[in-house]
Amino acid sequence: MPFDRKSLAAVLDPSLAGALAELADFLRIPSVSTEPQFAGDVRAAAEWIVAKMERIGVPEVRLIETPRHPMVVGKWHAAPGTPTILVYGHYDVQPVDPLNEWLSDPFDPTVRDEAIYARGAADMKGNLVALLQAVEALATLNGGHPPVNLTFIWEGEEEIGSPSAPALVAQYSDYLAADVVMSCDGGMADPWTAALWVSFKGMAALELTFVTAEGDLHSGGYGAAVPNAAQVMMQVAGQLHTDDGKVAVPGFYDGVGELSEEDRAEIAESALPDEALLAETGTKVTWGEPGYTPEERRSSRPTLDINGFWSGFQGDGSKTVTPARATMKITCRLVPGQEPDRIARIIADYAASLVPAGVRVEPKLYARNGKGYAIPRDNPFLLRLTDVLEDSYDKPVRVVRVGGSVPITAMFKEVLGLETISLGFLMPNANLHAPNEWLRLDDFARARYVYVQYLSSWVR
């Protein structure tokens, strides 16, 4: 690396207080992508990024409109003969509900216990700001521009499944051409250990509505004579899994590969003991597909979850009604080899095969579906990242297979032909998508160093 730690410290350390203030400024923007009333704030966050990139000297910055929220793209190509890295991240955040569980205003960043608390602090505004500040430091250290070619893409729809991304990335494929994608939407293994994220699950989301009649009926007159939509739905729900936790939908596991002994040993290295998992979740027992450990199921096996359901009367007191409609929401976390739209369809078909004659199942398939992704383990950008992280943390990295989804990673592979490395600094228990989301101040400071170290590691 061309810059030693002393040189980096001379640039980064004196600016840390201002850097944290800048992060707080960005965190105050309530860029909640899923709720229409925040559309103006989502745009304001995109404009904040544009202004920041222009201030640090990025010579080409563009805000691109989409059917929903804008994307920000940019280029700083001033280092001939070096790789081109496509830097990806998102500036949108999750809703804050339930608001009454926050100990401080989710959009008024608060520091306590050496961490900053705010919606988006960990996922992923902290990583985004740290990366841009690292690029600014690189330009200072390198005579006015980074020592590697950088293209940027920041989206405002990751938290709703990146619906606008496929069309935009395809349209701008020539502009986004690079050697690798570096996703800033990543995290650490624990407070002392860097994580090497090597795979993500895909997603299939759908809604099933069970219809038994044209309208709700009087239970005294009809409850013993016609199907009850709520009961039909629950009978179907009970047949989506076997009693021991395996998904019972025919064809669900088609295309799913088996874990090797090497895979299982690697997964075991990052697994929580069962008692720690139960303590973290507040549950009493583990459950799921037999033949696999909880961590294997979480990280590397496909899953099906009922996320919610409703039917009939739900107010206070009693109402004697036989519901005519009942709805359940389902999401599946998928592994490479599974096609999300196919999975959604076979679940809907299976549900339809289980209902009594005369009952209608109305499926609604969501556009947030995305495929799973795994980076080849011999990818040179991944190997270099391993070296940089182990140098920074003075210990081996921990290989992590992520149970969540970053849908755009598979899309980068399909549309641009690019592999994606993930480099971020959120903690696994940082309350992502939950009240009291936080990012450690030390991790934000380290992020700036590591981004500089990785981006300059390609220059000799």
Side-chain angles (χ1 to χ4, degrees):
M1 291 175 225
F3 312 117
D4 58 31
R5 294 192 183 189
K6 185 176 180 180
S7 300
L8 295 183
V11 172
L12 292 172
D13 290 357
S15 64
L16 182 57
L20 287 166
E22 189 170 56
L23 172 60
D25 181 53
F26 192 35
L27 290 170
R28 292 188 183 96
I29 304 174
S31 51
V32 181
S33 55
T34 190
E35 298 183 24
Q37 65 266 33
F38 291 103
D41 298 298
V42 178
R43 174 172 291 276
E47 292 170 347
W48 188 99
I49 295 171
V50 170
K52 172 63 179 176
M53 291 175 67
E54 291 174 342
R55 284 197 305 274
I56 68 178
V58 181
E60 185 177 334
V61 184
R62 303 169 64 180
L63 190 148
I64 300 176
E65 301 296 342
T66 79
R68 298 193 184 187
H69 304 301
M71 282 195 178
V72 179
V73 299
K75 276 188 178 182
W76 202 344
H77 291 193
T82 67
T84 297
I85 297 176
L86 175 58
V87 178
Y88 163 78
H90 66 92
Y91 61 85
D92 61 322
V93 301
Q94 282 280 322
V96 299
D97 304 84
L99 184 59
N100 65 326
E101 294 186 12
W102 285 81
L103 299 180
S104 54
D105 187 320
F107 295 112
D108 183 12
T110 303
V111 174
R112 57 181 184 271
D113 302 323
E114 299 303 314
I116 187 166
Y117 286 78
R119 172 57 85 227
D123 185 20
M124 59 151 279
K125 288 183 174 180
N127 289 343
L128 188 157
V129 172
L131 182 281
L132 290 178
Q133 292 174 351
V135 173
E136 185 174 20
L138 276 170
T140 300
L141 288 161
N142 195 58
H145 62 81
V148 66
N149 297 314
L150 298 175
T151 302
F152 303 88
I153 179 169
W154 307 109
E155 70 161 322
E157 299 178 2
E158 193 276 341
E159 299 293 4
I160 53 174
S162 303
S164 299
L168 186 141
V169 170
Q171 181 181 352
Y172 288 88
S173 59
D174 290 342
Y175 184 91
L176 299 173
D179 295 295
V180 73
V181 178
M182 185 177 79
S183 170
C184 298
D185 195 8
M188 300 167 57
D190 61 44
W192 312 277
T193 312
L196 199 66
W197 287 14
V198 299
S199 67
F200 301 90
K201 287 188 177 180
M203 168 82 80
L206 69 155
E207 186 176 294
L208 299 176
T209 297
F210 301 81
V211 183
T212 56
E214 294 304 313
D216 291 349
L217 301 169
H218 188 291
S219 66
Y222 302 99
V226 299
N228 178 308
Q231 291 173 334
V232 171
M233 177 179 67
M234 300 313 297
Q235 288 166 352
V236 170
Q239 297 179 72
L240 294 177
H241 295 85
T242 62
D243 289 345
D244 56 4
K246 184 176 182 178
V247 177
V249 178
F252 183 81
Y253 293 100
D254 290 355
V256 177
E258 271 301 328
L259 297 176
S260 68
E261 290 304 313
E262 293 80 4
D263 291 334
R264 296 189 125 167
E266 200 170 60
I267 293 168
E269 290 181 3
S270 61
L272 286 174
D274 284 1
E275 58 271 20
L277 175 64
L278 297 177
E280 182 175 284
T281 59
T283 54
K284 303 299 182 185
V285 295
T286 62
W287 180 87
E289 184 185 6
Y292 300 91
T293 67
E295 188 61 30
E296 289 170 348
R297 296 194 294 264
R298 291 205 301 165
S299 68
S300 304
R301 296 294 296 172
T303 63
L304 184 157
D305 274 285
I306 297 172
N307 308 119
F309 48 79
W310 60 92
S311 180
F313 178 66
Q314 297 175 52
D316 293 335
S318 175
K319 182 181 181 182
T320 53
V321 62
T322 297
R325 299 177 71 87
T327 301
M328 74 166 73
K329 288 183 179 288
I330 295 171
T331 56
C332 301
R333 299 288 183 170
L334 308 176
V335 299
Q338 290 181 295
E339 174 59 49
D341 291 340
R342 173 186 171 274
I343 292 296
R345 287 195 300 270
I346 66 172
I347 293 171
D349 292 345
Y350 179 58
S353 75
L354 298 175
V355 300
V359 174
R360 187 168 74 251
V361 179
E362 297 178 349
K364 181 179 181 181
L365 310 185
Y366 287 101
R368 68 177 302 181
N369 294 349
K371 295 181 180 179
Y373 171 75
I375 186 171
R377 298 296 290 279
D378 61 352
N379 179 273
F381 291 92
L382 184 71
L383 297 175
R384 180 66 59 84
L385 178 58
T386 303
D387 293 340
V388 169
L389 290 174
E390 291 184 345
D391 178 71
S392 178
Y393 285 82
D394 294 320
K395 63 186 299 188
V397 298
R398 187 175 302 160
V399 174
V400 174
R401 294 162 172 82
V402 181
S405 303
V406 181
I408 204 167
T409 53
M411 192 200 67
F412 283 139
K413 178 64 175 177
E414 290 189 349
V415 178
L416 300 179
L418 298 180
E419 305 294 353
T420 299
I421 59 168
S422 296
L423 178 56
F425 299 86
L426 61 86
M427 289 286 293
N429 60 341
N431 293 331
L432 309 184
H433 300 194
N436 304 306
E437 181 180 347
W438 54 271
L439 176 70
R440 292 194 312 175
L441 302 182
D442 284 349
D443 293 332
F444 177 74
R446 186 192 290 267
R448 302 164 79 228
Y449 271 88
V450 177
Y451 281 132
V452 167
Q453 289 171 317
Y454 184 73
L455 293 177
S456 61
S457 71
W458 295 95
V459 182
R460 294 299 180 186

